[in-house]
Amino acid sequence: MSMDLDSVALPSVHRPQQSATILCCNCGAPIDGTQSAGALCYDCIKLTTDVSEGIQREGVIHTCRDCERWLSPPSQWVTAAMESRELLALCLKKLRGLNKVRIIDASFLWTEPHSRRVKVKITVQQEAYEGTILQQTFEVEYVVAYQQCPECAKSYTPNTWRASVQVRQKVPHKRTFLYLEQLLLKHGAHKDTINIKEVKDGLDFYFAQRNHAEKFVDFLTSVTPVRVKKSQELISMDVHTSTKSYKFTYSCELLPICKDDLVALPLKLAKSIGNISPLSLCYRIGTSVNLIDPNTLQTADLPSAIYWRAPFKSLADVKELVEFIVLDIEPTATQNGRFFGAEVTVARASDLGVNDTTYFCRTHLGGVLHAGDSVLGYHLTGTNFNNPQFEELEQNNTYGSTIPDVLLVKKYYARKKKPKARSWKLKRMEKDEGELLPKKADQERMDADYEMFLRDVEEDSELRQTLALYKAQQQRRAADEMSMATSADDEVPQINMDELLEDFDELNVNDMES
């Protein structure tokens, strides 16, 4: 039987196409001839081709000694910490030829802190030949040079500020300014100031730009009850271009009521904010004044805007507190948050052994007071107040039957340790005292106010949460020795070491001295 081969369809066979293998012209290694570039293997291409050619290996970066900012060409000064992302971006921006390659990775290399050198390791990629991509890592060394920024240069010459913020509070102590100082240090709100000057009843902050002053004023209004007034003064004017130069001044007046002050509210105001008792205590100052009635534990908030419509002064401040001894205490069933109501029988500490006069009152300190404790309060019996609100209160007799004899404010802890024995500390802000050099009596008063503020920090946990407390490295050993030597202050509130931060500035100074 015959078959016609032409009519039979043979299956097609697909054979893989074999690549041509050649030898590298440099090292003789077998390579793919269809994909090789210049008859060189990949290793030889890396040895003969430098993809980082034309990129600087050395550079100079400028920083200002005073404000510690870095110069970003041509004229911008930016804030960046050492080995931060902002400083790395600034270093890469200053390299010429880096835009011709693709950056894969960049990181800092460790250098001596005082060598004034910054090293950066950079990994780049670039296509050397068609289909061949090379990756290379190299180091760039920068020299840190000092250059004074224009803002710091202006600060050393007179009359260079463009805006000033005048913060004032007419009270006999500085507790509010000490608290405000710690808030400024914690949030860095004063970093744009070119000078801080201490004046009577307050501080003056000077700024080189108007927007910096407005930002500072916004911070003040967000943490304290303050009234702001703005004024401007024409410095110069160009009649040809109608260009004018002004100096701006912001007057910020803090509300003259502080924590632990005794307040006599106007009757209409007391009814409008919740019908609270007109005779109240201020237990906290925030964006508004927080008041409490020790008899009923009723609380109310007095907004700053409402206060400035009809301002009034406090009836008594912490300078007038009197020490009492708790003779008997009976808790009641009332409670409002951290306040516990109680009925207390107290006697003045100065009357013990002299007379048997006792006073009965209600207080909001039922959770912390016990029989035998010392407590600070306002002694109202036989006290004359030159205050129209208090006189109206006595005439209308709206505070129950009579004005209470005593209003207790806070528990008193007897301290026998020296103030230097604390294992924690607060940072202070550098201020220019100007012409108001403190006298000896003024310095003693300022030290007493600061010691009172430190005691408030120890006793008030809510106050500590808003501040930045640091470990006192040099004083911790002395504090431990004092605590072991005496146990007279066991009842004094102690700050947990977990709440304290490390003071890196002090650690760096100790490293330099060692």
Side-chain angles (χ1 to χ4, degrees):
M1 183 178 180
S2 62
M3 296 180 61
D4 189 359
L5 297 178
D6 296 336
S7 61
V8 178
L10 298 178
S12 59
V13 179
H14 297 278
R15 297 180 179 179
Q17 184 179 1
Q18 297 182 354
S19 59
T21 303
I22 63 175
L23 300 179
C24 176
C25 64
N26 194 8
C27 64
I31 57 176
D32 189 358
T34 60
Q35 298 181 359
S36 64
L40 292 174
C41 63
Y42 183 75
D43 295 333
C44 292
I45 292 176
K46 290 199 303 182
L47 293 175
T48 57
T49 305
D50 185 9
V51 298
S52 64
E53 184 178 3
I55 302 177
Q56 289 179 267
R57 299 305 173 93
E58 296 181 352
V60 180
I61 53 178
H62 296 84
T63 182
C64 180
R65 288 176 182 264
D66 299 324
C67 61
E68 298 181 354
R69 293 186 300 172
W70 302 86
L71 175 61
S72 179
S75 60
Q76 185 181 5
W77 291 83
V78 297
T79 303
M82 291 298 295
E83 298 189 2
S84 62
R85 298 178 60 183
E86 293 80 8
L87 183 59
L88 182 60
L90 179 62
C91 294
L92 297 179
K93 189 185 299 184
K94 292 182 66 67
L95 285 184
R96 293 193 303 267
L98 200 59
N99 56 346
K100 299 179 182 179
V101 295
R102 180 184 178 187
I103 303 176
I104 300 301
D105 187 24
S107 60
F108 286 100
L109 296 177
W110 184 86
T111 56
E112 287 288 343
H114 307 293
S115 63
R116 294 174 57 187
R117 297 292 187 273
V118 176
K119 290 185 178 181
V120 180
K121 184 175 68 173
I122 305 174
T123 302
V124 297
Q125 282 185 355
Q126 187 181 23
E127 185 176 1
Y129 298 97
E130 184 178 357
T132 304
I133 299 177
L134 297 182
Q135 180 172 312
Q136 186 174 349
T137 302
F138 59 95
E139 297 179 5
V140 180
E141 181 176 347
Y142 295 89
V143 179
V144 179
Y146 292 115
Q147 179 178 339
Q148 195 175 41
C149 66
E151 286 79 6
C152 294
K154 290 181 179 179
S155 64
Y156 290 96
T157 57
N159 301 324
T160 58
W161 55 272
R162 288 297 176 187
S164 67
V165 180
Q166 300 175 353
V167 185
R168 301 288 187 271
Q169 186 185 34
K170 297 179 181 180
V171 292
H173 55 81
K174 297 290 184 181
R175 295 172 63 205
T176 304
F177 278 101
L178 292 173
Y179 175 64
L180 181 61
E181 177 185 3
Q182 298 303 319
L183 291 180
L184 295 177
L185 290 172
K186 181 179 181 179
H187 299 279
H190 67 298
K191 62 181 180 179
D192 295 324
T193 57
I194 59 177
N195 189 19
I196 302 175
K197 188 176 181 180
E198 188 172 2
V199 297
K200 184 180 179 181
D201 295 333
L203 296 171
D204 287 348
F205 299 84
Y206 297 94
F207 300 87
Q209 298 181 17
R210 176 186 175 185
N211 57 343
H212 292 165
E214 292 179 347
K215 182 179 178 181
F216 184 81
V217 171
D218 292 340
F219 175 79
L220 289 180
T221 55
S222 65
V223 296
T224 56
V226 62
R227 178 173 61 176
V228 181
K229 294 182 180 180
K230 175 186 173 184
S231 62
Q232 60 186 20
E233 179 184 1
L234 180 64
I235 303 300
S236 62
M237 181 179 63
D238 189 351
V239 296
H240 302 286
T241 60
S242 298
T243 303
K244 300 179 181 179
S245 178
Y246 289 95
K247 279 189 175 182
F248 300 89
T249 302
Y250 298 87
S251 176
C252 301
E253 184 179 357
L254 298 179
L255 191 144
I257 297 177
C258 302
K259 180 184 175 184
D260 299 333
D261 283 0
L262 179 62
V263 178
L265 300 174
L267 300 181
K268 293 183 179 180
L269 179 60
K271 294 180 181 179
S272 63
I273 60 175
N275 199 19
I276 191 174
S277 172
L279 196 60
S280 304
L281 291 174
C282 174
Y283 69 92
R284 184 172 55 193
I285 292 290
T287 54
S288 60
V289 180
N290 302 127
L291 304 172
I292 184 172
D293 179 13
N295 283 342
T296 62
L297 302 189
Q298 180 185 357
T299 58
D301 294 342
L302 178 59
S304 175
I306 296 179
Y307 171 83
W308 289 115
R309 294 176 186 173
F312 57 91
K313 295 183 179 180
S314 59
L315 191 62
D317 54 35
V318 292
K319 298 288 186 179
E320 305 174 28
L321 290 175
V322 180
E323 182 181 356
F324 293 89
I325 304 298
V326 179
L327 302 179
D328 187 20
I329 182 171
E330 184 70 26
T332 60
T334 56
Q335 178 183 357
N336 186 359
R338 60 187 178 94
F339 301 115
F340 294 86
E343 295 179 350
V344 190
T345 302
V346 297
R348 286 200 310 178
S350 59
D351 292 343
L352 294 180
V354 179
N355 54 51
D356 298 333
T357 305
T358 60
Y359 304 95
F360 176 81
C361 62
R362 293 182 179 181
T363 180
H364 60 292
L365 305 176
V368 295
L369 292 182
H370 304 87
D373 290 345
S374 297
V375 61
L376 296 178
Y378 295 106
H379 190 204
L380 304 182
T381 302
T383 305
N384 294 325
F385 295 102
N386 186 13
N387 187 283
Q389 288 80 25
F390 187 74
E391 295 176 359
E392 184 182 5
L393 182 62
E394 289 181 325
Q395 294 175 1
N396 289 272
N397 197 15
T398 57
Y399 196 91
S401 57
T402 57
I403 301 294
D405 298 329
V406 174
L407 276 180
L408 302 181
V409 178
K410 60 180 179 180
K411 186 176 180 180
Y412 177 70
Y413 299 92
R415 291 173 169 83
K416 295 184 180 180
K417 292 182 184 179
K418 295 181 180 180
K420 297 182 179 179
R422 292 187 174 92
S423 60
W424 58 275
K425 66 176 183 177
L426 296 173
K427 289 188 176 181
R428 300 301 303 272
M429 195 164 50
E430 296 183 0
K431 298 183 289 292
D432 182 12
E433 295 179 353
E435 299 178 356
L436 296 176
L437 294 177
K439 300 179 181 178
K440 184 177 180 180
D442 296 337
Q443 186 64 40
E444 293 177 355
R445 180 177 55 84
M446 293 170 61
D447 294 340
D449 292 343
Y450 188 64
E451 175 63 22
M452 187 185 303
F453 176 71
L454 294 180
R455 294 186 179 186
D456 290 341
V457 174
E458 288 179 340
E459 299 170 5
D460 194 345
S461 59
E462 292 185 357
L463 179 62
R464 290 199 301 270
Q465 295 177 0
T466 60
L467 307 180
L469 279 67
Y470 297 90
K471 299 178 182 178
Q473 302 290 339
Q474 299 177 354
Q475 302 172 2
R476 189 184 305 170
R477 183 177 301 176
D480 295 339
E481 295 176 357
M482 291 289 294
S483 61
M484 294 175 62
T486 178
S487 59
D489 295 348
D490 292 340
E491 297 183 358
V492 177
Q494 300 294 331
I495 298 180
N496 193 356
M497 295 299 292
D498 297 336
E499 303 180 28
L500 305 182
L501 304 175
E502 291 287 352
D503 188 2
F504 294 102
D505 296 337
E506 187 181 54
L507 293 176
N508 294 335
V509 171
N510 294 336
D511 294 340
M512 293 175 61
E513 293 178 353
S514 61

